[in-house]
Amino acid sequence: MSNVVHIYQWYMRCYPQDISDKTNLYTAIQTNAAYQGLKHPVKPTKEGKFMPDFTYRYMTEDIPYGLLVIRGIAEIVGLETPNIDKVLTWCQEKMGKEYLANSKLQGKDVASSRAPQRYGFTTLESIL
């Protein structure tokens, strides 16, 4: 795992000219010009209001191909992820999917993700 770097270092490498406050990870993300103006897409309701579009790629791609990978690795190495679990529980409800079941990545839709569990990986050695 010697090639794994902290996400802060990744931001500094990938966005060196776009980040105006490089104090820490939080300020780097908050002041990254590449992210300015990005908003979650919305769709109109019958009442003339707006609600988030949960079918947009922020949910349909970032959850199964990003966050579930991180959660899957954490589960394999025995690391608890209460905040990720809260996000996944909320997202899977909005998306009509099931990834987490009984606090494990064993829901019916894990097979459509890139979580290591999809591929039968159960140990860190099998991933590496």
Side-chain angles (χ1 to χ4, degrees):
M1 305 242 337
S2 62
N3 292 331
V4 177
V5 298
H6 190 279
I7 193 168
Y8 174 78
Q9 293 169 310
W10 181 86
Y11 272 98
M12 293 303 107
R13 186 182 77 234
C14 293
Y15 297 101
Q17 304 304 317
D18 295 317
I19 297 171
S20 61
D21 184 346
K22 299 176 182 177
T23 305
N24 56 49
L25 177 60
Y26 177 80
T27 61
I29 292 170
Q30 290 294 316
T31 65
N32 187 340
Y35 296 160
Q36 298 305 311
L38 292 181
K39 295 179 173 53
H40 196 290
V42 296
K43 56 186 177 182
T45 66
K46 293 176 187 174
E47 298 80 28
K49 297 182 180 183
F50 294 92
M51 67 176 288
D53 182 354
F54 297 116
T55 63
Y56 194 73
R57 71 175 183 85
Y58 292 162
M59 299 284 276
T60 62
E61 294 176 15
D62 293 354
I63 298 303
Y65 306 128
L67 193 57
L68 282 172
V69 175
I70 295 166
R71 173 54 170 79
I73 294 168
E75 183 174 305
I76 288 170
V77 300
L79 182 65
E80 292 187 16
T81 56
N83 291 324
I84 289 176
D85 290 0
K86 287 178 188 176
V87 170
L88 288 177
T89 299
W90 183 84
C91 289
Q92 70 184 17
E93 176 190 328
K94 299 298 181 189
M95 297 167 64
K97 301 284 186 181
E98 180 188 67
Y99 302 113
L100 281 178
N102 298 318
S103 300
K104 296 215 175 279
L105 282 183
Q106 59 188 11
K108 64 179 177 58
D109 295 303
V110 170
S112 65
S113 76
R114 291 285 167 29
Q117 287 75 358
R118 170 195 178 178
Y119 304 101
F121 296 139
T122 58
T123 65
L124 185 57
E125 292 76 26
S126 65
I127 295 172
L128 300 175

